[in-house]
Amino acid sequence: MSKIHEALAPISWLEGRWSTTDGRGYYPNIPDFTYHEDLEFLCIGQPMYNFLSTSRHPEKQTPMHQERGFLRIKPGTNELSFVVSHNFGLTSLEEGLCETETHQVILETVNLSRISFAKPPFVKKIKRVFKLLSDDQLEATLYMETDTTPMSEHLKAVYKKIQ
Amino acid sequence: MSKIHEALAPISWLEGRWSTTDGRGYYPNIPDFTYHEDLEFLCIGQPMYNFLSTSRHPEKQTPMHQERGFLRIKPGTNELSFVVSHNFGLTSLEEGLCETETHQVILETVNLSRISFAKPPFVKKIKRVFKLLSDDQLEATLYMETDTTPMSEHLKAVYKKIQ
């Protein structure tokens, strides 16, 4: 376990490496699918988490969606900012809050920027919720709006903490 | 060395892990400084590089600036897009091109988005150039414009390829 900066105390429960025990995806007009995902929220001494996500096809193990970024907290508050790069060619700036009692992190996009040669449909908004289910069990839910689909639940996954 | 996706052929020379032999920073109204930086451009089978940068104080070894993202190429062209998250609370979408004969990558921001509790001065534009000096030697130059300073050279570093 990395040494966590004191600013991260309200979200100290998020620290570590997490791996899906169950990852499911669904969205209007695409077939349901399952996936394997590894998450990292690691602190190297700065007042933030370094974030990595790599998802893979559950049988073929080929890489699928990836995200890389940083999760910051405004010191002395429960306000969060998440700067994320997505491998399909998107930057997302997400802001939100952490709920200490329920151990939840709730984030919504305030800015999205897409590379010039990205493929449609275009993502317009993302909302995500991380919820601690038990000391070593995390749940993530991701909602997405595109230019052709209103905000809809897209991903739901449960992770186990791994060392 | 990771297996490089064929789409990355025009920038195959960027692949690998690189570590500074010399890193220098300067900017109007701040003292000159030196830094150590580790860069990664790695391919895990997708048509893009996974990118990480971690810089450290050259003596104290404490972490300084960090970046995480993805460098993509529009297949069949020399057009590049770089989606980057910066640890101080910035997303940058940078676009540009690679020059095959001179082994250069030139990128400029087309979108920047800053977290609500970022500290001034605010970065308004970034331009960077990666240039291969020899098979195992890379040079990077970064120019930056802020709300108080016009576009000025800010960082110049030389890296050696490490395995």
Side-chain angles (χ1 to χ4, degrees):
Chain A
M1 188 167 128
S2 54
K3 190 178 182 314
I4 300 176
H5 190 284
E6 60 186 11
L8 297 172
I11 47 172
S12 61
W13 50 270
L14 207 48
E15 194 278 337
R17 292 188 172 89
W18 304 86
S19 186
T20 42
T21 51
D22 187 39
R24 293 172 187 275
Y26 28 80
Y27 207 64
N29 305 320
I30 65 166
D32 291 359
F33 62 96
T34 59
Y35 63 96
H36 178 81
E37 186 183 19
D38 292 308
L39 288 183
E40 281 185 19
F41 289 95
L42 300 179
C43 175
I44 62 167
Q46 297 178 317
M48 69 196 69
Y49 283 126
N50 293 353
F51 172 70
L52 287 180
S53 152
T54 310
S55 64
R56 292 183 183 274
H57 189 282
E59 284 92 40
K60 292 185 278 184
Q61 299 298 318
T62 43
M64 295 166 59
H65 187 62
Q66 291 192 74
E67 299 178 0
R68 317 192 129 203
F70 302 94
L71 179 63
R72 300 198 59 138
I73 187 165
K74 185 175 179 178
T77 75
N78 67 342
E79 295 169 40
L80 302 174
S81 275
F82 198 26
V83 290
V84 188
S85 303
H86 300 250
N87 70 333
F88 63 91
L90 192 80
T91 65
S92 66
L93 168 59
E94 305 170 26
E95 299 213 310
L97 50 82
C98 56
E99 293 181 351
T100 311
E101 287 185 15
T102 59
H103 292 96
Q104 285 191 89
V105 158
I106 301 162
L107 295 157
E108 284 189 73
T109 45
V110 293
N111 181 279
L112 286 176
S113 184
R114 195 175 50 244
I115 66 173
S116 57
F117 50 91
K119 291 179 188 158
F122 298 145
V123 180
K124 307 298 276 185
K125 281 184 190 167
I126 295 169
K127 177 181 174 179
R128 50 178 127 203
V129 179
F130 292 105
K131 183 176 183 177
L132 192 70
L133 300 180
S134 65
D135 280 355
D136 68 347
Q137 208 177 29
L138 183 71
E139 181 188 78
T141 313
L142 186 136
Y143 306 82
M144 184 170 76
E145 179 184 322
T146 69
D147 51 2
T148 54
T149 305
M151 192 66 113
S152 305
E153 193 171 304
H154 175 42
L155 303 171
K156 170 82 88 174
V158 175
Y159 308 81
K160 192 169 170 50
K161 193 162 188 171
I162 54 170
Q163 293 305 334
Chain B
M1 187 168 130
S2 55
K3 189 178 183 316
I4 300 176
H5 191 283
E6 60 185 11
L8 298 171
I11 47 172
S12 61
W13 49 271
L14 207 49
E15 194 277 339
R17 293 189 172 88
W18 303 86
S19 186
T20 42
T21 49
D22 187 39
R24 294 173 186 275
Y26 28 78
Y27 207 64
N29 306 318
I30 65 166
D32 291 358
F33 61 96
T34 58
Y35 63 96
H36 177 81
E37 186 182 19
D38 292 308
L39 289 183
E40 281 184 19
F41 289 95
L42 300 180
C43 175
I44 63 168
Q46 297 178 317
M48 68 195 70
Y49 283 126
N50 293 354
F51 172 71
L52 286 180
S53 152
T54 309
S55 63
R56 293 182 182 274
H57 189 284
E59 284 93 40
K60 292 186 279 184
Q61 298 298 319
T62 44
M64 296 167 57
H65 187 61
Q66 291 192 73
E67 299 178 0
R68 318 192 129 204
F70 302 94
L71 178 64
R72 300 198 58 138
I73 187 165
K74 185 174 179 178
T77 75
N78 67 341
E79 296 170 39
L80 303 174
S81 274
F82 198 26
V83 292
V84 188
S85 304
H86 300 250
N87 70 333
F88 63 90
L90 192 80
T91 65
S92 66
L93 168 59
E94 305 170 26
E95 300 212 310
L97 50 82
C98 56
E99 293 180 352
T100 310
E101 286 185 14
T102 59
H103 292 96
Q104 285 192 90
V105 159
I106 301 163
L107 295 158
E108 283 189 71
T109 45
V110 293
N111 182 280
L112 287 176
S113 183
R114 195 174 51 245
I115 65 172
S116 57
F117 50 91
K119 290 179 187 159
F122 297 144
V123 179
K124 307 298 276 186
K125 281 184 191 167
I126 294 169
K127 177 181 175 179
R128 52 178 126 203
V129 179
F130 292 105
K131 183 177 183 177
L132 192 69
L133 300 180
S134 65
D135 279 355
D136 69 347
Q137 208 177 27
L138 183 71
E139 181 189 78
T141 313
L142 186 136
Y143 305 83
M144 184 170 74
E145 178 184 322
T146 69
D147 50 1
T148 55
T149 305
M151 192 66 113
S152 304
E153 193 170 305
H154 175 41
L155 303 171
K156 171 83 87 174
V158 176
Y159 309 80
K160 192 169 168 51
K161 193 161 187 171
I162 54 173
Q163 294 304 335

